[in-house]
Amino acid sequence: MVQKLPNRDEVKVVYTWNLADLFAAEEDFTNSLVDIEQEVQQFSEKYKGKVNNPSIIIEALTDYSAVYEKIVPAGTYASLSLSTDQTNTTAQMRANKFSSLSAKISSELSFLTSELVELPDEMILEASKLAPAFQHYLDKLLEKKKYELHPEVEKTLAAYSASFNAPYKLYNTTKMQDISFDNFEVAEKSYPLSYVSFENDWEAESDPAIRRAAFESFSAKLKEYQHTTAITYDMHVQMEKTTADIRGYDSIFDYLLLNQEVDRTLYNRQIDLIMNELAPHMRKYAKLLQKVHGLDKMTFADLKISLDPTYEPTISIEESKKYIDDALAIMGDEYLDMVDRAYKERWIDFAQNTGKSTGAFCSSPYGNHPYILISWSSRMNEVFVLAHELGHAGHFYHANKEQTIFNARPSLYFIEAPSTMNEMLVANHLLANSADPKFKRWVISSIVARTYYHNFVTHLLEAAYQRKVYERVDQGLNVNAQILNEYKRSVLEEFWGEAVEISEGAELTWMRQPHYYMGLYPYTYSAGLTISTQVAKRILNEGQVAVDEWTNVLKAGGTKSPVELAKMAGVDITTEEPLRDTISYIGSLIDELITLTDVIEHN
């Protein structure tokens, strides 16, 4: 049974991350904000109105990098301390303090971009030749040049950056602080409910009566907040639309895709092909779940159940390291050393506590080690989640060491490739080390139910829904709770067809995901997994050669476009072939699950 979550100050320190690696004491953080503000002022006095030749450009960008390298850990510290307990008023005030300072800094520093885009292209290109480390930054600047506004307008917009981030903060406040879930009852027995317990436990509960009751209770509570959450989201997308319009983009999609360095062809292909061609495979998987569990019908509330809930082993945090070490050993000693440090030096926050952000993420501040948030529930499935986040950590561990602060981060389109790659490596390792049909079925069902379902279904259906929202907003229209519910339900019904009954409340799942406040992010999960699926196959077949090429991709950071990075790893994403092959591979895994189930049931 799920227990009530402890408060943050009640959890064991050993299972929390060590933010002292960023700032040893609160006083150090406060002093850093003062130092940053002073350095920004000095930078402004030194360069404002004087960036007018190639050598000055390089000097200014070098100093700008140094300032930015101090801003990053401060912002990370404020953000991470809040993410572990959003009910903590000190953490809230700290985050607000940094947010206000960040807006002020952005406004003060906005002159640099404004002055650079006013210079002749030839001068920018000459500066790139003088300092290749800044070439990527300057190339992207030239791309954005036509969308830049008057310097005073840019300064004003930057000053409002904290306000532009307000919808996301409001969304999190509603979700993590205002929504308080009631216990739900089944057969006169009471069960506690929270965001974390629902997503970590009740969604996968094997008893259908408890699982469906939890879903109904969870959805009923979400429904009470649907109008506030919808207004919050509409505020966000309207600001994006206004920004796209005043900057002169043809559409909100072009605005949001520019930084991803891909065009709408790759974006639409990912959504359309999966919606059309993966759906039949996943419907077959849903029917398999229904058959194995003997369900009267398959509902949306049943989709996260395990194929064999009696078999899934539990695992301690300490035991998880052995699995991850063994699976990721192929990546080499340096990579394993990073994993070892992550455990030993408390880079990972494993604790479950009230107010902690849901899900899992990895934050990789430049100049510091990565931080991983996860709420460990002791399910073996969590090994895949942790491997995923360690994939992000390994990516930026390499990229941050090899690249400048402006070159380390790749396009959002590519960001999920290294993380999902690790999930594939874990799966391949587990499959290679057991011939037991039940264990094999558990591993393959974990790949399907976690790795592919999460990235190719959950997030992709978010993307299909999100595209409908942006198409509407691009026409100058607003959204409200009714419209968002209709869009979400229509996407779910289109994908699942007759195989799954879309339970009442399923349409509210748009309320659960913070990704909608991060631009066109949801579709990139399947894009990244498409690349990593192909590379994982290469590693299985070609070994060290493919590993070395992949490591070079990680080290390249953001110096190349997603198409170029994929090409370095031997994958051509300018064609449909990698995506079609990945969809076919998912289909083969589901067919294997059906075969293994027949073998197990007849033995």
Side-chain angles (χ1 to χ4, degrees), residues 61 94 148 169 309 321 455 468 564:
L61 288 177
R94 185 189 298 120
E148 281 292 309
K169 289 169 71 175
K321 186 173 183 299
N455 299 292
K468 285 178 179 286
E564 292 169 326

Side-chain angles (χ1 to χ4, degrees), residues 38-50:
Q38 288 175 350
E39 288 196 28
V40 168
Q41 188 60 41
Q42 290 165 5
F43 179 87
S44 181
E45 290 169 0
K46 184 176 179 181
Y47 292 109
K48 199 167 189 178
K50 300 166 189 171

Side-chain angles (χ1 to χ4, degrees), residues 96-361:
N96 290 340
K97 186 176 182 180
F98 177 80
S99 180
S100 298
L101 177 65
S102 179
K104 186 177 178 181
I105 289 169
S106 296
S107 181
E108 187 65 43
L109 294 176
S110 67
F111 78 88
L112 181 61
T113 301
S114 294
E115 290 188 24
L116 286 172
V117 297
E118 289 296 317
L119 299 174
D121 290 4
E122 298 75 25
M123 192 181 291
I124 300 288
L125 294 170
E126 181 61 32
S128 295
K129 290 175 186 173
L130 286 175
F134 293 120
Q135 182 180 345
H136 188 66
Y137 176 85
L138 292 170
D139 285 349
K140 290 180 81 171
L141 189 80
L142 287 173
E143 281 180 42
K144 290 184 177 180
K145 192 172 181 177
K146 63 181 176 180
Y147 302 115
E148 281 292 309
L149 303 170
H150 186 280
E152 286 303 314
V153 177
E154 292 291 351
K155 184 176 181 179
T156 304
L157 287 174
Y160 275 102
S161 58
S163 299
F164 294 152
N165 290 328
Y168 179 50
K169 289 169 71 175
L170 180 56
Y171 165 78
N172 274 324
T173 301
T174 305
K175 177 179 175 180
M176 300 308 301
Q177 290 178 248
D178 286 348
I179 298 181
S180 178
F181 292 93
D182 304 317
N183 288 4
F184 66 96
E185 290 195 4
V186 178
E188 297 184 356
K189 190 172 182 180
S190 182
Y191 299 89
L193 184 63
S194 67
Y195 249 107
V196 172
S197 68
F198 178 74
E199 294 185 346
N200 280 9
D201 295 289
W202 298 130
E203 266 194 312
E205 166 64 41
S206 56
D207 185 325
I210 296 174
R211 181 176 64 250
R212 290 172 180 176
F215 180 84
E216 286 174 18
S217 181
F218 184 78
S219 300
K221 181 57 69 171
L222 286 186
K223 192 171 185 178
E224 293 176 18
Y225 293 84
Q226 63 177 325
H227 299 296
T228 300
T229 309
I231 291 289
T232 302
Y233 182 44
D234 185 57
M235 211 188 316
H236 174 76
V237 294
Q238 295 303 331
M239 284 194 287
E240 288 179 318
K241 170 61 174 168
T242 301
T243 304
D245 286 348
I246 65 173
R247 290 195 178 282
Y249 288 89
D250 290 339
S251 76
I252 195 169
F253 293 98
D254 295 311
Y255 163 58
L256 294 172
L257 286 172
L258 184 69
N259 278 338
Q260 292 189 17
E261 301 176 70
V262 295
D263 60 26
R264 286 178 74 171
T265 307
L266 269 68
Y267 167 70
N268 286 323
R269 176 207 294 159
Q270 206 69 25
I271 297 172
D272 293 335
L273 272 183
I274 294 174
M275 285 295 291
N276 293 327
E277 299 186 15
L278 180 63
H281 296 301
M282 293 310 299
R283 291 170 191 170
K284 193 190 295 186
Y285 172 69
K287 287 294 184 186
L288 176 64
L289 285 176
Q290 182 181 355
K291 173 176 171 266
V292 169
H293 282 266
L295 298 175
D296 56 332
K297 59 183 177 181
M298 191 68 187
T299 76
F300 184 81
D302 303 318
L303 285 168
K304 294 292 182 74
I305 54 178
S306 169
L307 193 56
D308 187 355
T310 63
Y311 186 79
E312 181 171 5
T314 57
I315 185 169
S316 69
I317 291 168
E318 291 72 22
E319 289 168 337
S320 69
K321 186 173 183 299
K322 175 74 166 62
Y323 281 95
I324 286 174
D325 279 349
D326 290 347
L328 302 185
I330 195 168
M331 292 298 295
D333 291 342
E334 186 181 6
Y335 202 97
L336 279 190
D337 179 62
M338 179 217 61
V339 173
D340 192 50
R341 288 183 63 198
Y343 278 86
K344 278 185 181 174
E345 299 174 18
R346 288 174 48 213
W347 298 3
I348 308 168
D349 199 275
F350 291 101
Q352 287 197 39
N353 61 263
T354 302
K356 185 173 178 179
S357 290
T358 59
F361 68 73

